[in-house]
Amino acid sequence: MVVRRDSAVGEQVTDGGRKAAKATKRTTVERAAEQAAAGEKTTSAKRATAAKKAAPPEKAVPAKAAAGKKPAAGNKAAAGKKAAAKKTARPAKATPALKKTTGSAKKTPPVVAKKATAAVKAPPAKTIAATAPKGESRTALVRRARRIDRELAEVYPYAHPELDFENPFQLLVATVLSAQTTDLRVNQTTPALFAKYPTPEDLAVANPEEVEEILRPTGFFRAKTKSVIGLSKGLVEQFGGEVPGRLEDLVKLPGVGRKTAFVVLGNAFGRPGITVDTHFQRLVRRWQWTEETDPDKIEAAVGALFPKSDWTDLSHHVIWHGRRICHARKPACGACPVAPLCPAYGEGETDPDKAKKLLKYEKGGLPGQRLNPPQSYLDAGGIPAPPLGAG
């Protein structure tokens, strides 16, 4: 009985041992499989590492990793890359510039061709005149300007204000009326005005409608009536009925600006002044004495070229030349005494015979603008202007 129980126990132990052995075998097999798998992974990792090491240096390690492992080498590599990038970037920027240059080169030939064609068609005198003043020094400009004035003084030794007047008051009123009309028309109108209103006191209390009727031929007669009556009142109230001899006083009167004031100061008081009227402005720009267009700036620029004592006569010379020869639309270049000194020579008629037909007043054998010109003008062959309504 005991033996059987022991056998049974032995059998039971044997079976458990078998099961444990089997479990041990299975565990050993699984471990072996895991080790084999790990070995395969390790092998594949080694192969991958070897492959990466065998690959080109550019793809082997990223820039950041390389910089982390070898700082000095990384810095050198980065600097090399930046330098290479700059060298590469410069040609890229140069390409548009080359395109632009090429584009401009394509547009340049037609422009040059047009200019060349215009130069061929234009008179030679214009081409010479256009280049003459370039590079002219200040000293050369002063000399040329003064020489032009001397030449004009010989041509117009009788130059004078082309307004008829007997006293400063008449000259002041006549100059105000000359705006937007000719001196001839003013000279034909003022005799009736001064016959009825000879003094500032008379004109200051005049009936505006009667004055307007007298001034109608001069144009803008309502505005001019207001100005002459206003300045007459100003003379009576502020200066005792006398025309002041100072610029700052004259310009305070209605209708009186710097141009009018200098006409009165220079011709009634003998005080030098430059009269910048439309003829003066046109000629000084043609002669390239100045590029200014504002009358006050022109006055300053031209005044700096001449002694102050020459200003009044200079104004007469320039204005007379502009009215007789150097016209606005068709200057008589072929009959101009200062043509060799003029940068604008060739803008008008250069043929002498044709140019002579363009001359006006005494230079063309025609009546002047004054009804009562000075004797020097008559001695030079000048003809008095006809009165209003006399043909």
Side-chain angles (χ1 to χ4, degrees), residues 134 276 321 376:
K134 289 184 178 179
V276 185
H321 190 61
S376 59

Side-chain angles (χ1 to χ4, degrees), residues 107-279:
K107 295 180 181 179
T108 303
V111 175
V112 173
K114 288 181 181 179
K115 288 184 178 178
T117 305
V120 172
K121 292 182 180 179
K126 286 188 177 181
T127 305
I128 296 171
T131 56
K134 289 184 178 179
E136 186 178 42
S137 66
R138 175 72 178 179
T139 302
L141 171 60
V142 171
R143 290 175 178 173
R144 181 169 64 86
R146 294 185 181 184
R147 185 178 173 187
I148 288 176
D149 184 45
R150 290 195 300 270
E151 295 287 343
L152 295 180
E154 294 181 4
V155 177
Y156 311 106
Y158 44 79
H160 56 271
E162 295 192 274
L163 292 170
D164 284 326
F165 69 97
E166 296 177 358
N167 54 58
F169 171 66
Q170 290 186 1
L171 179 58
L172 177 60
V173 172
T175 306
V176 171
L177 296 178
S178 67
Q180 304 298 321
T181 190
T182 63
D183 288 354
L184 172 61
R185 184 60 68 189
V186 174
N187 292 332
Q188 292 174 332
T189 304
T190 51
L193 179 68
F194 296 139
K196 192 169 184 178
Y197 311 104
T199 66
E201 290 83 0
D202 296 326
L203 192 53
V205 295
N207 184 345
E209 294 180 359
E210 294 179 0
V211 177
E212 287 178 1
E213 192 60 30
I214 296 174
L215 300 183
R216 186 179 293 272
T218 65
F220 302 97
F221 56 90
R222 291 189 178 88
K224 291 179 179 180
T225 296
K226 185 178 180 180
S227 294
V228 297
I229 292 178
L231 71 85
S232 297
K233 289 180 179 179
L235 292 175
V236 173
E237 296 172 358
Q238 300 177 39
F239 305 103
E242 298 291 333
V243 176
R246 299 196 311 167
L247 175 65
E248 54 269 30
D249 293 331
L250 284 170
V251 294
K252 294 177 182 178
L253 299 171
V256 179
R258 290 180 67 86
K259 184 192 81 170
T260 299
F262 281 128
V263 171
V264 174
L265 291 174
N267 298 285
F269 294 95
R271 297 179 181 176
I274 294 179
T275 304
V276 185
D277 72 345
T278 180
H279 302 289

